[in-house]
Amino acid sequence: KKLLVDLIRARMPLELQSVADAMKNATDEHLKEMRRQVAEAGEDLGNDEVLNSVNMAFHRQIAIASGNSVLVQILDVLRELFTEEQRVILNIFGSRERDHREHVAILEALEQRNESLGVKRMKTHLEGVQNAVERWDPEDHPV
């Protein structure tokens, strides 16, 4: 449980910087790919393997759109080192619909180029994930 919380806490400043930079640097192609990913996720809410992969690709695409290659590489390392933990987090978070709505809201802020809204939505999203993990009792609800 501590490892999962640590992972989210490590991702938070990186993801917030990523979305802030993406507001300024995302191209129409970046946004088009994010829209495709969000649509694919919406079609596969019941398939954990596809959903986890697409969700992680969405976060990665934001990093790519940020224009900061170091952010992309750091987030890639975290995803590669903690692939299974990311799947566990998806199961703990529980609500696929809420997760999807939050990704859609982040994308909408990006499309509006509204930096403060995008950062706020990303922060709310990651804090919600962190709160779910902190409330999780692995004894009562193993994943």
Side-chain angles (χ1 to χ4, degrees):
K1 181 174 177 174
K2 182 179 181 329
L3 174 64
L4 300 179
V5 171
D6 287 350
L7 176 58
I8 294 299
R9 289 178 54 87
R11 280 181 52 198
M12 193 153 329
L14 301 171
E15 299 266 9
L16 295 179
Q17 188 63 55
S18 180
V19 77
D21 290 350
M23 291 295 168
K24 299 173 195 87
N25 299 318
T27 66
D28 289 343
E29 286 303 310
H30 292 133
L31 296 172
K32 182 178 175 184
E33 177 59 14
M34 287 179 221
R35 181 58 64 187
R36 186 199 66 73
Q37 290 165 334
V38 166
E40 183 179 349
E43 294 168 6
D44 285 306
L45 293 178
N47 184 330
D48 284 358
E49 187 172 327
V50 170
L51 189 57
N52 186 64
S53 174
V54 173
N55 283 349
M56 289 294 96
F58 173 72
H59 282 269
R60 184 176 194 276
Q61 186 64 31
I62 293 171
I64 291 168
S66 78
N68 185 327
S69 63
V70 174
L71 269 176
V72 175
Q73 290 175 31
I74 292 170
L75 289 167
D76 281 349
V77 167
L78 287 177
R79 276 187 268 289
E80 288 171 22
L81 287 174
F82 299 106
T83 300
E84 189 55 39
E85 289 80 2
Q86 296 289 359
R87 286 191 183 110
V88 169
I89 288 170
L90 179 64
N91 286 325
I92 292 169
F93 189 64
S95 175
R96 308 303 189 260
E97 293 79 13
R98 177 179 161 200
D99 187 60
H100 182 67
R101 283 193 311 271
E102 289 175 0
H103 284 168
V104 169
I106 292 165
L107 175 57
E108 288 171 350
L110 278 160
E111 290 172 334
Q112 296 167 21
R113 305 289 180 170
N114 187 330
E115 183 176 341
S116 63
L117 183 61
V119 169
K120 178 183 174 194
R121 287 178 175 176
M122 181 66 81
K123 187 173 192 260
T124 298
H125 172 60
L126 293 173
E127 285 175 343
V129 173
Q130 180 179 330
N131 290 337
V133 172
E134 288 172 341
R135 287 190 313 271
W136 171 59
D137 182 350
E139 299 277 327
D140 291 338
H141 303 285
V143 286

